């Protein structure tokens, strides 16, 4: 680390280093940090240390290395609290007594669990956290760290809501993705004004990361059409008037490109009924029929944009429904597929690794229809 600092001329600019609660990190910084007269030694119980001289391949004196002052991050203190509360029944009862709720331990499979776990801690007052940590004999977050946790959770809250929406299995179409991203970015930037210097740049960093990661989606014509044909979105999520007009024009142009046989059946019947006979209709067939079709598509889109937000309204607008069926077939998240294949354990076990497709499908139906089966019984 010292070589990296020297290579980039950072030795006199680094004021501190923040790490997690790993014992090797703690031992390294305690051995090579500059000593202070009133430095308080931290008690480390039941911790296995590694010889840093052997690890670094150094056989000389300790004075050869010098690391900057070391601080444990706020999340490392939260991790110590999660570990203590999850491994000890007595500690869990103490948490329930002081906080009134159990601690949420984050899992590696869902990022939202980390935010929820931090929120459960930051929702408690600094006084309650100090009392709790004193009872559990662990280091408590400082007042500044407590403020950081609260601001961090408030900034990341829109992101957790967006992830929950996109990870849903019911009524989650591809058209949900673009409005979710746009709303997420606007709501995240709106939180910038009430933040301290510790997290003031966090909303901008999140928005920039979203723009970089989802640049193809944000500029995708297919994603825009999928969102426009979802009745609960339409053009409501688009802020600028120019973008709304461009979106309407795009949807109208897409409806105009539909084949003639996809034109609404009731419109064809009205056209035939308007004439006295089929022969007369064929006789008065002019070149303006194409313009009439275009006008019909324009009227249908405009009427659709003034309709309700229920999905059933698509039945009244066949052209819009055809566009909806074309662009909303994909899902915006892999979560439903991951849940489907969470049954891999029963497939890969020695007793069931020769399941036929029919048997596997039956097991899936039995698992996901257990509520229905219980009602029937």
């Amino acid at each position: 680390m010292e070589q990296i600092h020297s290579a980039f001329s950072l030795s006199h600019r680094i004021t501190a280093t923040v790490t997690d609660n790993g014992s090797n990190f703690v031992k390294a910084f305690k051995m090579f940090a500059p000593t202070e007269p009133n430095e308080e030694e931290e008690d480390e119980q039941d911790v296995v240390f590694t010889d840093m001289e052997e690890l670094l391949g150094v056989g000389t004196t300790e004075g050869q290395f010098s690391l900057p002052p070391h601080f444990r991050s706020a999340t490392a203190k939260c991790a110590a609290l999660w570990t203590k509360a999850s491994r000890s029944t007595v500690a869990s009862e103490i948490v329930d007594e002081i906080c009134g709720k159990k601690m949420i331990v984050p899992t590696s499979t869902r990022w939202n669990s980390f935010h929820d776990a931090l929120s459960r801690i930051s929702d408690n007052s600094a006084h309650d956290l100090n009392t709790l940590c004193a009872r559990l004999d662990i280091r408590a977050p400082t007042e500044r760290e407590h403020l950081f946790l609260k601001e961090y959770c408030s900034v990341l809250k829109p992101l957790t809501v967006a992830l929950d929406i996109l990870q849903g299995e019911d009524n989650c179409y591809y058209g949900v993705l673009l409005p979710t991203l746009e709303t997420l970015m606007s709501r995240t930037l709106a939180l910038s004004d009430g933040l301290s210097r510790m997290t003031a740049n966090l909303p901008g960093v999140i928005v920039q990361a979203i723009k970089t990661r989802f640049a193809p989606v944000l500029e995708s014509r297919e994603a825009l059409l999928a969102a426009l044909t979802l009745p609960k979105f339409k053009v409501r999520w688009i802020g600028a008037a120019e973008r709304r007009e461009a979106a309407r024009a795009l949807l109208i142009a897409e409806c105009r490109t539909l084949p003639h046989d996809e034109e609404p059946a009731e419109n064809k019947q009205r056209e035939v009924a308007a004439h006295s006979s089929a022969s007369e209709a064929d006789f008065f067939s002019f070149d303006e029929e194409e313009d009439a079709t275009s006008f019909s598509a324009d009227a249908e889109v405009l009427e659709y944009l003034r309709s309700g937000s229920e999905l059933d309204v698509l039945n009244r607008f066949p052209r819009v429904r055809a566009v909806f069926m074309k662009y909303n077939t994909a899902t915006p998240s892999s979560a439903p597929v991951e849940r489907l294949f969470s049954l891999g354990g029963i497939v890969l076990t020695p007793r069931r690794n020769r399941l036929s497709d029919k048997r596997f499908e039956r097991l899936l139906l039995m698992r996901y229809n257990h509520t229905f089966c219980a009602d029937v019984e």
Side-chain angles (χ1 to χ4, degrees):
M1 184 180 294
E2 185 179 359
Q3 294 178 356
I4 296 175
H5 293 170
S6 301
F8 293 93
S9 302
L10 298 176
S11 301
H12 301 288
R13 300 181 182 181
I14 300 296
T15 59
T17 301
V18 178
T19 69
D20 59 14
N21 209 28
S23 59
N24 289 341
F25 282 123
V26 176
K27 179 67 179 295
F29 281 92
K30 289 181 68 174
M31 289 181 59
F32 300 109
T35 58
E36 297 182 2
N38 298 327
E39 182 180 5
E40 297 180 1
E41 295 292 333
E42 298 178 1
D43 296 332
E44 296 292 338
Q45 300 178 356
D46 301 331
V47 177
V48 179
F49 296 104
T50 302
D51 189 352
M52 294 305 300
E53 291 185 356
E54 180 181 354
L55 181 64
L56 298 175
V58 178
T60 56
T61 60
E62 298 179 356
Q64 182 174 353
F65 292 95
S66 178
L67 298 178
H70 176 236
F71 301 103
R72 298 191 186 184
S73 64
T75 55
K77 296 178 181 179
C78 294
L81 183 58
W82 295 325
T83 303
K84 198 84 170 183
S86 61
R87 295 183 179 178
S88 172
T89 305
V90 177
S92 179
E93 294 176 352
I94 294 175
V95 171
D96 197 10
E97 174 188 348
I98 297 177
C99 301
K101 295 181 180 179
K102 299 292 185 180
M103 287 291 166
I104 299 177
V105 180
T107 60
S108 58
T109 56
R110 287 291 179 265
W111 182 90
N112 280 14
S113 64
F114 180 73
H115 173 271
D116 295 339
L118 288 180
S119 297
R120 181 63 60 88
I121 293 178
S122 63
D123 288 342
N124 298 281
S125 64
H127 178 267
D128 290 341
L129 287 179
N130 288 331
T131 304
L132 175 62
C133 292
R135 293 277 299 274
L136 298 180
D137 193 24
I138 58 178
R139 297 190 63 184
T142 63
E143 184 177 355
R144 185 177 179 85
E145 291 172 341
H146 185 260
L147 176 61
F148 168 78
L149 291 177
K150 292 185 71 69
E151 292 185 353
Y152 175 84
C153 292
S154 65
V155 173
L156 273 295
K157 180 64 177 178
L159 181 58
T160 62
V161 176
L163 288 177
D164 288 336
I165 293 173
L166 296 178
Q167 290 176 351
E169 296 185 24
D170 299 330
N171 302 322
C172 191
Y173 304 97
Y174 185 56
V176 177
L177 181 57
L178 193 55
T180 302
L181 294 177
E182 295 280 356
T183 305
L184 171 60
M185 290 189 291
S186 61
R187 290 185 177 273
T188 302
L189 290 177
L191 300 172
S192 302
D193 296 336
L195 301 177
S196 63
R197 293 180 58 186
M198 293 184 294
T199 57
N201 296 328
L202 184 57
V205 173
I206 295 175
V207 171
Q208 184 59 43
I210 293 174
K211 291 181 178 179
T212 302
R213 170 62 178 82
F214 294 97
V217 177
L218 296 175
E219 301 175 358
S220 173
R221 175 179 175 273
E222 291 76 12
L224 179 56
L225 286 170
L228 294 176
T229 52
L230 269 179
K232 68 177 180 180
F233 292 125
K234 297 179 182 176
V235 294
R236 301 186 186 101
W237 55 278
I238 303 177
E242 296 81 3
R243 291 186 61 195
R244 288 194 177 191
E245 291 299 327
R248 291 192 189 97
L250 178 63
L251 182 56
I252 292 173
E254 182 68 18
C255 290
R256 288 178 179 176
T257 61
L258 292 177
H260 184 69
D261 55 357
E262 294 189 22
E263 190 177 348
E266 57 268 20
N267 288 353
K268 295 180 179 179
Q269 295 174 359
R270 283 197 296 265
E271 291 177 2
V272 174
H275 302 285
S276 58
S277 64
S279 60
E280 185 176 346
D282 294 337
F283 180 77
F284 292 108
S285 178
F286 304 109
D287 295 337
E288 300 166 345
E289 183 179 355
E290 185 175 354
D291 296 336
T293 303
S294 299
F295 175 78
S296 179
D298 298 358
E300 182 177 331
V301 170
L302 295 178
E303 183 65 24
Y304 160 74
L305 295 177
R306 290 193 294 264
S307 63
S309 59
E310 299 79 11
L311 192 62
D312 295 339
V313 302
L314 290 174
N315 295 327
R316 296 160 43 195
F317 309 101
R319 291 186 180 87
V320 179
R321 183 179 59 185
V323 179
F324 170 84
M325 295 296 293
K326 179 179 180 181
Y327 292 105
N328 275 285
T329 53
T331 58
S333 173
S334 61
V337 180
E338 292 174 4
R339 294 189 183 97
L340 176 65
F341 285 93
S342 63
L343 293 178
I346 68 172
V347 179
L348 300 178
T349 53
R351 292 179 299 173
R352 299 187 178 184
N353 59 357
R354 298 181 182 274
L355 286 177
S356 63
D357 294 342
K358 186 176 181 180
R359 175 63 175 168
F360 180 66
E361 182 179 358
R362 184 177 300 175
L363 289 174
L364 286 177
L365 292 176
M366 291 176 61
R367 171 168 178 169
Y368 287 102
N369 291 335
H370 65 279
T371 304
F372 174 76
C373 295
D375 294 340
V376 172
E377 293 176 359

